[in-house]
Amino acid sequence: MSFYNYLIDYTLTETAPIVEPVTLEEAKNYCRVTTDADDDLITRMITEAREAIEKVAGLSLIPKTAVVYFKNTQGNFPLPYGPVKVVSEIYDIRSSEVVASANYLLVGNQYPSLVYPAYDILRATYTTGFDVVPNDLKIAILDQVNYSYENRGVDSFHYDYKGICEKAMRACQRHSRVSPIL
């Protein structure tokens, strides 16, 4: 039996309509592309770059619904994939009951931790995402799009282990809650 808190499983569902934080025009301007020939490719690269930035930084840049299964036996479990907007439900899997809002404590605003209940297996359902994406993360998306566009066709071993360029990685580390700030 383990007495540590940890993430068991999760699903992130994007809420429609999906509006990327970076427009095609911004990306084309940043990449200095003047033709329309690669518009579909660049549009796909914008989505790919945003998803990579989200994964590396542990954030949701666009609005999503998160369903997170976790173990909170020690209390203080940090809800992942912030910023958290609204917690809809905390559900105790073992007792098959919704935990009443008076019986749980979330501490923090954008990136709260569940202090109690310190139950074995819980499920949290909440909405997440930025209302306005921070400028450095928008630039990180643009940097990644530019890097991907300039290096299309190159084998993946030229990327770092997370699949994003070094400049975008530095922006992600500034927003990550588990990584040192660079």
Side-chain angles (χ1 to χ4, degrees), residues 17-38:
I18 298 169
V19 178
E20 294 294 347
V22 171
T23 65
L24 174 62
E25 292 75 28
E26 288 172 318
K28 285 174 66 174
N29 185 42
Y30 197 82
C31 296
R32 297 188 175 151
V33 175
T34 57
T35 69
D36 297 336
D38 290 334

Side-chain angles (χ1 to χ4, degrees), residues 96-172:
S96 300
E97 293 179 2
V98 174
V99 179
S101 60
N103 294 332
Y104 66 82
L105 175 63
L106 287 167
V107 174
N109 291 324
Q110 288 189 1
Y111 306 101
S113 292
L114 181 67
V115 177
Y116 64 80
Y119 292 168
D120 196 24
I121 301 174
L122 295 167
R123 179 185 73 211
T125 304
Y126 55 95
T127 57
T128 182
F130 285 97
D131 292 326
V132 177
V133 175
N135 196 45
D136 61 336
L137 290 174
K138 283 181 77 170
I139 292 171
I141 293 170
L142 292 169
D143 286 330
Q144 183 60 36
V145 169
N146 185 53
Y147 186 83
S148 296
Y149 187 75
E150 291 296 323
N151 293 290
R152 58 193 183 276
V154 175
D155 288 336
S156 63
F157 70 85
H158 291 287
Y159 285 97
D160 68 5
Y161 71 100
K162 297 279 188 177
I164 68 171
C165 68
E166 184 178 341
K167 192 173 176 191
M169 178 64 96
R170 277 183 263 150
C172 291

Side-chain angles (χ1 to χ4, degrees), residues 83-95:
V84 173
K85 290 184 173 184
V86 176
V87 175
S88 307
E89 176 182 271
I90 303 291
Y91 184 81
D92 181 9
I93 300 294
R94 297 254 171 140
S95 69

